[in-house]
Amino acid sequence: MKLIGPFKQIVTLANLPLRGKLSDEQIDIVVDGGIVVNDGTIQEIGNFETLKYENQNINIETIEGQQIVLPGLVDSHTHICFGGNRANDFAMRNAGKTYLEIAESGGGIWSSVQHTRSASEEELLKTLLERINFLIALGITTIEVKSGYGLDVENELKMLRIIKKAQGQTEAKLVPTCLSAHLKPRDFEGSNQEYLEYILTEILPKVKEEELATRVDIFIEKSAFQPEESKDFLLKTKDLGFDITVHADQFTPGSSRIAVEVGAKSADHLEATIDEDIDFLAKSDTVATALPGASLGLGEKFTPARKLLDAGAIVAIASDWNPGSAPMGNLIIQASILATFEKLTTAEVLAGMTFRAAYALGLEDIGKLEAGKKADFVTFKTDNFQNVLYNQGSLKAENVYINGNQVH
Ligand code: NIG
Ligand code: FE
C-alpha cells in the first residue's frame, strides 16, 4: 500500500454521468490531494495531509512541485500496427485528390496492406511499441489497436499476434480489434460478400481459438463495404460472440444506423452523420466516437460532437492514429482543437478521452479516479487542470502511472 501526493488538484471525474452534455461546474476536484493505492487499485482519494495522518506507517511517494492529476487517458480507436508510410497520399490529397479517389486508384489502405504484409514481424513489433510509447508519454494508459492491414488469414493473424506480443512488452493496456473487414483486398478473387464470408469462416474462428481479439470492426463506406452486406456480417459476428464497433458515416451517411441496430459498442467517425441519425444514436447505448485526427488529416469537417452531446449521446474522442487519414497520433492536440471548433466544455473533452471511451471498450475499471478503479493516472506540472487543453498539447505529461506503477 502507498500514498502518492500531494497534488494541487486531482480531477477525479467521479460523479460525471455517462451520457450527454456536461458543464465545467460539474467537475469534481480534490484540492491538495493524495491517492492511496493498494495492489494496483485506488483505495482512497482525499486530502493528502489527512490521508497521511490516518495511515501512519504508509509508504509515501512524494510529488515535487505543483502538479495536477487526470485519469489515464483512453484512446479507443487506433490503427498503430502498420508498415510503411503514406506521406505521398497526404501530398496528393493536398494537391487536390480526394481520399476516395486515392483509394480507388490503388493507393490508400491497399498500399498500407502491401507494406504491412511485406514487413517482418520484428519490424512491425518494434514500430508498434514505439507508437505505444509515444502514446504513454501523452498520458494514454489504455489503447485500442486494430488489425486491418493484413486482409487475409495469414496476415490478419500476423498483425493480431504481434499486438498480443506487444502486450507482453508494455505496461499500457492494449485492446485488440479484428478489422479484417477494412477493405476487400485486391488479390481476393470473389465478391464483397464472399470476402465477408471468408472472414467469418476462415479468420474469426482462429482469432477466437488463439484469443487474439474479442471485438470486430468494419468500414462501411462506398469504397469498402455496403450497408446491407455489412449488417448481415455484423449480426453473424455477434452470434460468434464478438463485440462490435463500426467505422460509420465517414463520408456517406447511413451506417451509424446499422451500428445502433446491431447493438455496436461504438460508431466511430460520424463526420457525415445527418440530424435524424444523431437522434437515433443519442437514444442508444452505442458510443459516438469523434476522430478529430482524421478530420485534420483529410481536411474534412469535424464530427458533430456538440449536437451529439446536446441530443444526449455518449461521446468519446479518439485519435484514429493510422498511416493514411490520421498520421499525427496526438490525442491531446486533436481533442483541444475539436473543443474549439465544436465548442465543447473541458468536462466533455475529458470525459470523452476517459470513462466514456472506456465504456466504448467495455471497460469499467478505468476512466475515473475513485476507490475500486485501477490506479491509472497522468500528472501535469501545473496548478490548474484547464491548462492541459488550453496549451493544446504543448504542456507535456509529467508522470504516468498504470496499476499504481510509474511507467513514464
Ligand atoms: O479510420 N476509414 C477507414 N479507416 C481508417 C483509415 C485507414 C487508412 O487510411 O489507412 C480511418 O480513417
Ligand atoms: Fe479508423
Side-chain angles (χ1 to χ4, degrees), residues 123-189:
E123 182 60 20
L124 283 177
L125 179 63
K126 182 172 158 270
T127 51
L128 171 59
L129 285 166
E130 282 166 6
R131 293 180 193 118
I132 289 168
N133 288 335
F134 176 92
L135 293 176
I136 291 175
L138 297 179
I140 295 167
T141 50
T142 297
I143 308 166
E144 188 257 16
V145 189
K146 299 176 195 296
S147 67
Y149 294 124
L151 309 189
D152 61 19
V153 178
E154 181 193 338
N155 290 291
E156 283 292 295
L157 293 178
K158 169 172 123 174
M159 288 189 74
L160 290 166
R161 287 182 189 132
I162 287 167
I163 297 165
K164 192 169 183 173
K165 208 166 194 179
Q167 182 61 91
Q169 298 182 29
T170 179
E171 299 299 325
K173 297 172 182 175
L174 306 184
V175 179
T177 301
C178 179
L179 176 58
S180 302
H182 204 181
L183 185 80
K184 184 187 76 170
R186 294 200 157 213
D187 56 0
F188 183 85
E189 287 171 16

Side-chain angles (χ1 to χ4, degrees), residues 77 79 86 89 93 99 108-110 112 146 149 179 182 219 221 247 250-251 269 271 291 294 298 320 322-326:
H77 181 139
H79 309 245
R86 303 240 297 277
D89 283 17
R93 281 199 303 273
Y99 181 79
I109 295 171
W110 180 239
S112 290
K146 299 176 195 296
Y149 294 124
L179 176 58
H182 204 181
F219 183 21
E221 188 50 64
H247 278 73
Q250 185 178 11
F251 303 103
H269 273 295
E271 294 89 336
L291 304 173
L298 298 175
D320 195 19
N322 73 71
S325 62

Side-chain angles (χ1 to χ4, degrees), residues 62-321:
T62 307
I63 299 296
E64 304 296 341
Q66 297 208 322
Q67 297 194 30
I68 68 98
V69 191
L70 301 179
L73 305 180
V74 178
D75 193 344
S76 62
H77 181 139
T78 84
H79 309 245
I80 55 173
C81 181
F82 62 84
N85 113 348
R86 303 240 297 277
N88 193 44
D89 283 17
F90 184 78
M92 281 202 288
R93 281 199 303 273
N94 293 346
K97 286 246 183 307
T98 68
Y99 181 79
L100 292 179
E101 280 166 1
I102 293 169
E104 277 155 16
S105 67
I109 295 171
W110 180 239
S111 112
S112 290
V113 171
Q114 289 167 300
H115 283 111
T116 305
R117 284 182 180 176
S118 62
S120 70
E121 292 184 15
E122 294 69 40
E123 182 60 20
L124 283 177
L125 179 63
K126 182 172 158 270
T127 51
L128 171 59
L129 285 166
E130 282 166 6
R131 293 180 193 118
I132 289 168
N133 288 335
F134 176 92
L135 293 176
I136 291 175
L138 297 179
I140 295 167
T141 50
T142 297
I143 308 166
E144 188 257 16
V145 189
K146 299 176 195 296
S147 67
Y149 294 124
L151 309 189
D152 61 19
V153 178
E154 181 193 338
N155 290 291
E156 283 292 295
L157 293 178
K158 169 172 123 174
M159 288 189 74
L160 290 166
R161 287 182 189 132
I162 287 167
I163 297 165
K164 192 169 183 173
K165 208 166 194 179
Q167 182 61 91
Q169 298 182 29
T170 179
E171 299 299 325
K173 297 172 182 175
L174 306 184
V175 179
T177 301
C178 179
L179 176 58
S180 302
H182 204 181
L183 185 80
K184 184 187 76 170
R186 294 200 157 213
D187 56 0
F188 183 85
E189 287 171 16
S191 63
N192 264 4
Q193 262 177 27
E194 285 166 325
Y195 178 64
L196 293 173
E197 196 56 34
Y198 166 81
I199 298 173
L200 288 165
T201 55
E202 304 294 322
I203 301 183
L204 292 180
K206 297 203 174 67
V207 169
K208 217 168 180 176
E209 199 180 296
E210 289 187 39
E211 297 183 354
L212 295 172
T214 59
R215 298 159 43 84
V216 165
D217 194 351
I218 187 168
F219 183 21
I220 308 180
E221 188 50 64
K222 282 197 179 121
S223 62
F225 296 97
Q226 306 317 303
E228 276 316 304
E229 63 197 14
S230 303
K231 187 170 176 181
D232 191 50
F233 168 77
L234 291 172
L235 290 172
K236 287 178 180 158
T237 61
K238 214 175 166 185
D239 285 344
L240 290 175
F242 288 94
D243 282 337
I244 295 167
T245 175
V246 180
H247 278 73
D249 301 353
Q250 185 178 11
F251 303 103
T252 322
S255 44
S256 60
R257 218 159 235 281
I258 293 174
V260 172
E261 282 166 1
V262 301
K265 290 271 180 199
S266 74
D268 301 15
H269 273 295
L270 310 174
E271 294 89 336
T273 305
I274 56 173
D275 287 352
E276 227 179 291
D277 293 349
I278 287 178
D279 282 333
F280 200 63
L281 264 167
K283 291 196 177 71
S284 78
D285 289 334
T286 299
V287 174
T289 307
L291 304 173
S295 304
L296 293 167
L298 298 175
E300 297 281 339
K301 60 184 179 186
F302 288 105
T303 302
R306 180 71 271 143
K307 280 188 178 178
L308 282 157
L309 285 160
D310 288 344
I314 310 166
V315 174
I317 306 170
S319 75
D320 195 19
W321 192 0

